[in-house]
Amino acid sequence: MIKRIYFITVCLILFTNNVISSAASLKEELTTLFKTQPSYVWSVSVENANSADKLFEITPHRTLIPASNEKIPICAAILLKLGPEYIYQTSLFHTGSIEGSTLYGNLIITGSGDPSIGGRFNNGDVTYQFRLWAELLKRKGIKSIQGDIIGVDDVFDDIPHGLNWNPIDLVEWYAAEISALSFNDGCIDILIKGSDASGKPAELSLNPPTKYIQLIPSVKTVKTRKSDKGVEIVRNPKETALQVKGTIRAKRSSTIYASVPNPTLFFATVLKETLQKEGVTVKGDPVDGDDILLKERNQWKKIDVYKSPPLKQLVEVCLRNSQNLYAEHFIKTLGYAEYGQGSWPMGVAAVKDILTEHGCKLDGVYFADGSGLSRENRLSANAIIAILQSVRKSPQSKLFFNSLPQAGVSGTLKQRMRDTAAYKRVFAKTGTLNGSRSLSGLINAKSGKTYLFSFLGNATSQTGHISEIIDEACALIASKG
């Protein structure tokens, strides 16, 4: 009996020493890996998701530019506050009276901050909801509207861009203006089709077809890949004319996306155009409700309420595809829900309050926007780990982590870590900005352990190797953690 106990004790000691040695070896490998580029600045934390024991860290309290890792606190906060089944409502009203088949009044659309109206949830059919409204009006006998089509967006403030967004980016889809009445991600789709022979102009068209945007095309068809330099979009602030210039190869086609000025007026314009195509004539103009004095709301007559997909689906779009507009809508939504003001300052206050209530320590962090596009944002690895832990302990845990990109499989991680031990084992939010790369989320290691991690890397020059280092670190933890 004594010999048996002795044998078991020796085995336990050897096993424990092996585990300790393995953990020490992994830490040494990670330390060496993160020292390969001394010019990079890191904030790193990796911990056991169940025990909160630290596996590895580098200056985890240091706050750095997080890029799109900023979406982690925003999406966590809105799920924790409003819940996965929360829906946005966009309401259709009319003023005046209906006589015969004519509405002698205005058609009014009031937004609540829904970022999803368009084609994303309708198989790419961007005007699907507008056509449904046209059919509804006709079923009610309305075939003519004598008044205007008025868009009301006053749930959010009128500041369209986040703090210190780069002016160069403002024409791009990822820097679309923010409005409580938004359509097609605040963008116009530009379809480009190369001619059948080089030297000829390419064919350009808009989706949706609209007079709101004026195209100035200057895209030439070229013969070879080497001579194809791509396409550039130029738009002056507040103007609706888009200059599209560059090259495309013969018989090739592509779609690019440009932000539009005043999304509310864009919404009202395309709605009017769609109604008229569907047989409902409109005598008045598309109008941004901010430009007129709206009175007597209690006398508006409700026609319809459009309900968005549930928040759980919108959060998935935001995290998996890194959709900036959704994140900005979320932060202003929280400001309105918590303090009655749909603004970035009130949204920031709401996010901090919600996360603090759930036990997160946010010392030193600074939120400038919801998407991470602003270079003023500051997060630390410790803060992100605390947020991930708070979500993991909540009823929203499975939903949140399953919404993150999966290594080698989905979203912004689809092309990363495919041939490594991290393949399918990492669920994490990416972050990419000039001078900043980040990745934070969860690793299901081969050992059966689950780790929460946050890798934030900043550099003053080239950042190309930051992602490589992060991916290798994920693979090491997945295989040896």
Side-chain angles (χ1 to χ4, degrees):
M1 183 67 179
I2 294 174
K3 289 182 178 180
R4 184 178 178 185
I5 293 172
Y6 176 77
F7 175 75
I8 293 172
T9 302
V10 170
C11 288
L12 286 172
I13 291 171
L14 290 173
F15 175 77
T16 302
N17 288 340
N18 184 59
V19 169
I20 293 172
S21 175
S22 177
S25 175
L26 176 57
K27 289 179 183 179
E28 289 174 2
E29 288 186 68
L30 290 170
T31 299
T32 301
L33 174 64
F34 281 95
K35 286 182 177 179
T36 56
Q37 295 287 339
S39 62
Y40 295 162
V41 178
W42 295 100
S43 182
V44 172
S45 182
V46 184
E47 69 177 38
N48 188 301
N50 296 312
S51 67
D53 292 336
K54 292 290 184 182
L55 174 68
F56 180 73
E57 60 184 15
I58 301 173
T59 55
H61 294 286
R62 175 182 281 159
T63 56
L64 298 176
I65 300 171
S68 279
N69 270 209
E70 179 73 8
K71 294 181 176 72
I72 290 175
I74 307 308
C75 288
I78 199 166
L79 278 175
L80 293 170
K81 176 64 180 180
L82 300 181
E85 302 303 325
Y86 174 83
I87 57 171
Y88 289 94
Q89 298 188 29
T90 302
S91 300
L92 195 66
F93 297 90
H94 76 80
T95 62
S97 61
I98 301 171
E99 299 178 22
S101 62
T102 301
L103 168 60
Y104 291 94
N106 300 316
L107 196 67
I108 301 176
I109 316 96
T110 62
S112 66
D114 185 359
S116 70
I117 296 176
R120 189 184 298 275
F121 292 95
N122 293 305
N123 297 316
D125 187 346
V126 295
T127 58
Y128 177 77
Q129 182 57 40
F130 292 176
R131 296 201 311 279
L132 288 184
W133 278 335
E135 289 303 312
L136 177 61
L137 292 174
K138 288 189 288 186
R139 286 201 305 272
K140 291 180 175 292
I142 300 173
K143 296 182 180 179
S144 175
I145 298 172
Q146 291 295 297
D148 297 325
I149 308 296
I150 304 174
V152 179
D153 59 10
D154 50 12
V155 167
F156 291 173
D157 66 10
D158 293 324
I159 299 176
H161 299 120
L163 180 64
N164 292 341
W165 284 6
N166 191 333
I168 296 174
D169 293 333
L170 300 186
V171 71
E172 305 291 346
W173 67 268
Y174 54 79
E177 294 188 11
I178 307 306
S179 164
L181 191 62
S182 186
F183 164 66
N184 198 40
D185 295 345
C187 293
I188 188 75
D189 305 352
I190 306 169
L191 286 65
I192 306 172
K193 185 177 180 181
S195 178
D196 56 358
S198 62
K200 293 184 178 180
E203 178 184 332
L204 273 65
S205 59
L206 299 175
N207 184 32
T210 177
K211 293 182 179 178
Y212 188 76
I213 295 294
Q214 296 80 49
L215 272 181
I216 306 172
S218 181
V219 180
K220 185 175 68 172
T221 306
V222 294
K223 187 175 182 180
T224 65
R225 176 180 294 182
K226 186 177 181 180
S227 57
D228 186 1
K229 304 301 181 183
V231 174
E232 179 187 7
I233 309 170
V234 179
R235 175 174 65 80
N236 291 327
K238 306 300 180 184
E239 292 186 4
T240 57
L242 277 177
Q243 183 180 1
V244 185
K245 55 186 180 179
T247 58
I248 188 172
R249 278 182 281 168
K251 298 181 181 180
R252 296 294 180 99
S253 60
S254 66
T255 302
I256 58 176
Y257 311 94
S259 67
V260 299
N262 194 340
T264 301
L265 187 58
F266 177 52
F267 189 114
T269 301
V270 177
L271 177 56
K272 176 186 173 178
E273 292 169 339
T274 304
L275 292 176
Q276 298 204 128
K277 287 178 184 177
E278 296 298 312
V280 180
T281 61
V282 181
K283 185 176 182 180
D285 299 317
V287 177
D288 180 345
D290 292 339
D291 297 333
I292 61 174
L293 184 62
L294 295 168
K295 298 179 179 179
E296 301 169 342
R297 293 193 181 208
N298 61 327
Q299 295 181 24
W300 295 2
K301 302 173 182 67
K302 186 173 289 185
I303 300 173
D304 189 43
V305 176
Y306 166 74
K307 297 179 180 179
S308 74
L311 182 61
K312 58 187 176 184
Q313 291 181 247
L314 306 185
V315 165
E316 182 178 311
V317 171
C318 184
L319 290 174
R320 190 166 295 171
N321 300 335
S322 204
Q323 228 299 341
N324 288 354
L325 180 121
Y326 280 50
E328 305 303 354
H329 277 241
F330 291 167
I331 194 169
K332 288 196 175 187
T333 296
L334 286 171
Y336 186 79
E338 285 282 86
Y339 304 114
Q341 294 182 33
S343 66
W344 272 291
M346 290 298 98
V348 167
V351 170
K352 286 186 174 181
D353 287 348
I354 293 163
L355 295 177
T356 300
E357 288 170 8
H358 283 80
C360 299
K361 293 183 178 180
L362 302 174
D363 297 340
V365 307
Y366 183 79
F367 297 152
D369 63 14
S371 65
L373 191 57
S374 174
R375 303 186 65 80
E376 306 303 321
N377 290 301
R378 292 294 185 275
L379 276 173
S380 68
N382 271 355
I384 292 178
I385 291 290
I387 294 165
L388 293 175
Q389 279 286 21
S390 70
V391 175
R392 195 165 184 272
K393 294 173 183 177
S394 78
Q396 318 309 333
S397 176
K398 184 176 180 180
L399 165 64
F400 182 89
F401 286 101
N402 284 346
S403 296
L404 293 169
Q406 185 179 13
V409 176
S410 64
T412 53
L413 282 181
K414 189 173 184 178
Q415 304 300 326
R416 289 173 62 175
M417 296 180 264
R418 281 188 166 182
D419 299 317
T420 73
Y423 176 61
K424 290 188 176 181
R425 295 184 175 276
V426 173
F427 295 81
K429 182 71 200 76
T430 55
T432 303
L433 199 63
N434 186 28
S436 174
R437 297 290 187 274
S438 54
L439 189 72
S440 301
L442 176 150
I443 299 175
N444 293 315
K446 288 183 177 181
S447 65
K449 295 179 182 178
T450 298
Y451 293 95
L452 298 178
F453 72 91
S454 180
F455 300 130
L456 306 179
N458 286 183
T460 55
S461 56
Q462 296 297 319
T463 56
H465 294 296
I466 293 182
S467 293
E468 294 176 10
I469 293 170
I470 289 173
D471 288 0
E472 190 171 342
C474 287
L476 283 171
I477 296 166
S479 63
K480 299 182 179 182

